[in-house]
Amino acid sequence: MNDVILVTGGAGFIGSHFTRTALKRGAKVINLDLLTYASDVDTIQDILNNPEHSFVKGDIKDWKIVEPLVRRADYIVHFAAETHVDRSIIEGGDFALTNFYGTYVLLEAVRKAGNLKKFIYISTDEVYGPIKEGSFREDDPMNPSSPYSASKAGADRLSFSFYKTYSMPVVIVRPSNNFGPYQHPEKALPLFITNLFEGEKIPLYGNGENMREWLFVEDCVEGIWKVLEEGKEGEAYNLSSGFGLKNIDLIKLLLSKMGKPFSMVEFVQDRPGHDLRYSINSEKLRSLGWAPQHTFEGALELTIDWYRNHQNWWKKRKEAKEFKEYYSKNYKRRKK
Ligand SMILES: NC(=O)c1ccc[n+]([C@@H]2O[C@H](COP(=O)([O-])OP(=O)(O)OC[C@H]3O[C@@H](n4cnc5c(N)ncnc54)[C@H](O)[C@@H]3O)[C@@H](O)[C@H]2O)c1
């Protein structure tokens, strides 16, 4: 491909992996990212000087920045968002603004420009809410539980409305829990890994029975790429590995991989409204030929190694005042 892809949030976790892949496949990438507390250019240092990659520091809510960039794009892959559920519970305003209104600005700019081949909205499995057994399909109703997932569900449906109302080429992807290199250490798995490297305990919410479906970031990027190439306008695609694990079992596995005892786990007060189990069915995407290429354990080992070898990257983030303030507010350590 030699088209221009406008990637929003391309200095963040999944967006940076996607940007690297897009460049390798011959695309030109305009990377629009505000560099909030959640990201920094050190995540994309290796591609900053790539002539096919132009990085723009800016806000997706800013019409003056967004409109000219959208006019230059053939495709948009929209990752930019406030992404941390726990922060949305402490204060949800930025989630409503960036995730919903920011998506509106992009969609409206696309409508005015009128020449886009595809707009991919990166939604989340969390829009469906919890499921006791079985797995959600794309046309199941949404039932989001947190201000984060509600803002994502709103933007997911807003994107769809631009397909329905204005026949815009919108496609939606709903990935499950990602993990891998460059994920901010406030998120569960990197928090656990880096705490263990620092000799700190792992805070585990509630009784650890909550279950998530884990997807290695490189498999996620391949799934998004498949949708970019073959996804049908107006459709949503679940993107998941089918590998679910209770948090307590995830932690036991992690402890064994890192050679640490169970006494490193500290049970803490549960997250309010904590969904017990997420599970989505990704047959629709698999029928296009996508399948995850990594085993969970293999990808977990890669991820642990990456954090072992990139201590400056995550220590800088853990030492930032934004992390410290959030961590002390969020983890009220109440032993059970
Ligand atoms: N990580 C996961 O497990 C997961 C799972 C499903 C869906 N998603 C979705 O994938 C997308 C990317 O998630 P991530 O984990 O890479 O998040 P992330 O927090 O690592 O990255 C988000 C990026 O968006 C940027 N950003 C935030 N507000 C912005 C604004 N107003 N203007 C421009 N840029 C802004 C941030 O600076 C950051 O680089 C999000 O939309 C998220 O909801 C993530």
Side-chain angles (χ1 to χ4, degrees), residues 9 11-15 32-36 38-39 58-61 79-83 98 122-124 148 152 175-178 183 187:
F13 167 44
I14 309 177
L32 172 62
D33 194 304
L34 186 56
L35 299 181
T36 66
S39 66
D59 193 332
I60 56 165
K61 302 190 294 300
F79 294 93
E82 289 293 333
T83 59
T98 295
I122 306 299
S123 184
T124 165
Y148 162 71
K152 293 294 293 182
S176 66
N177 248 40
N178 271 239
Q183 189 171 28
K187 301 285 170 56

